[in-house]
Amino acid sequence: MEKIRIWCGGNAPLPTVYIHSVAGDGHNVWEACRRIGCPDFNLVSVYGFDFEGDLTPWTAPGVRKSQPPFKGNAEHHLADLLGRIVPYTEAQLPAKPLYSALAGYSLAGLFALWSIWKTDRFARIACGSASFWYPGFIEYAVSHPMISRPDFVSLSLGDNESNTRHPVMSRVGECTDKVLELLAESAIPHCFEINPGNHFTDPDLRLAKAISRMLGG
């Protein structure tokens, strides 16, 4: 069973941002957000889950040598997020959220954007170095109607991420461009930032920056 940690930004109604933390409980992202001067918000970190199972929308072959296939349990996890984690969180907060947002890095960024084809619960989305290379995602995105048209989407990518020799993951830049085209065609307000480095460079800071832009968008 995954765990949840909540940081409250104040007693007034504030945006509540949900993230999925791979390493740690999310406190590094919270601290980075405070350090860069994010607008006030509540942060909810989900951690201790199956990263490569719960955040992938359908099964796909593993992309690294000896890696098992991706399990594709995102629909089940999203139902748990909406049906259990969000109500629990809102019961703990001192005021009703101004709105709810979903943010994430890597596969969690993929999950965040994919959610707009499945629910209208999240008004804003932030994706840091999202795994838009995931097999079939771009094809799905351009051929299915979105359930939600978010108020704002914040994206970022490292300037060296597409230089990997991996034939699937090297498509991340091309696939991110396709997502940006889709957002523009759908008239969804958005922003995009290029960060220095590869996929593993400053992930907590990158996600914090994407969240800050999302909150201000």
Side-chain angles (χ1 to χ4, degrees):
M1 177 69 72
E2 68 276 351
K3 301 177 183 179
I4 305 161
R5 186 166 180 189
I6 302 169
W7 289 267
C8 185
N11 292 323
L14 295 171
T16 296
V17 180
Y18 294 81
I19 65 171
H20 289 82
S21 299
V22 185
D25 62 2
H27 73 275
N28 287 337
V29 176
W30 176 249
E31 290 171 2
C33 285
R34 306 295 280 183
R35 190 166 64 248
I36 66 175
C38 275
D40 289 338
F41 74 107
N42 306 313
L43 180 67
V44 184
S45 173
V46 181
Y47 63 103
F49 57 94
D50 180 0
F51 183 67
E52 295 177 341
D54 290 342
L55 301 180
T56 49
W58 42 77
T59 57
V63 293
R64 296 182 182 87
K65 189 175 181 179
S66 302
Q67 181 186 26
F70 294 109
K71 297 176 184 176
N73 292 332
E75 295 227 22
H76 180 270
H77 181 65
L78 180 61
D80 187 50
L81 181 66
L82 298 176
R84 182 178 64 86
I85 295 173
V86 170
Y88 170 82
T89 296
E90 293 186 351
Q92 310 307 308
L93 296 173
K96 183 178 179 181
L98 198 59
Y99 61 82
S100 295
L102 187 58
Y105 195 87
S106 193
L107 282 176
L110 171 74
F111 178 83
L113 190 70
W114 165 83
S115 74
I116 69 178
W117 280 268
K118 296 295 175 178
T119 180
D120 60 1
R121 189 66 178 80
F122 302 108
R124 300 189 181 202
I125 302 292
C127 307
S129 297
S131 303
F132 296 144
W133 51 260
Y134 192 79
F137 175 69
I138 294 300
E139 293 81 1
Y140 176 88
V142 300
S143 62
H144 289 74
M146 301 173 188
I147 286 181
S148 167
R149 298 175 68 85
D151 297 334
F152 197 83
V153 174
S154 171
L155 304 180
S156 72
L157 194 66
D159 61 9
N160 202 34
E161 291 197 55
S162 296
N163 292 333
T164 175
R165 294 181 180 180
H166 195 287
V168 176
M169 299 175 77
S170 64
R171 296 184 59 238
V172 67
E174 167 195 344
C175 293
T176 300
D177 287 342
K178 294 290 187 183
V179 169
L180 290 168
E181 290 175 11
L182 181 60
L183 294 173
E185 291 168 1
S186 303
I188 294 173
H190 61 279
C191 68
F192 176 59
E193 180 181 51
I194 293 288
N195 291 299
N198 62 24
H199 186 69
F200 302 101
T201 305
D202 296 325
D204 296 326
L205 177 59
R206 285 186 186 179
L207 182 56
K209 290 165 65 179
I211 289 172
S212 183
R213 293 192 305 273
M214 175 192 71
L215 294 170

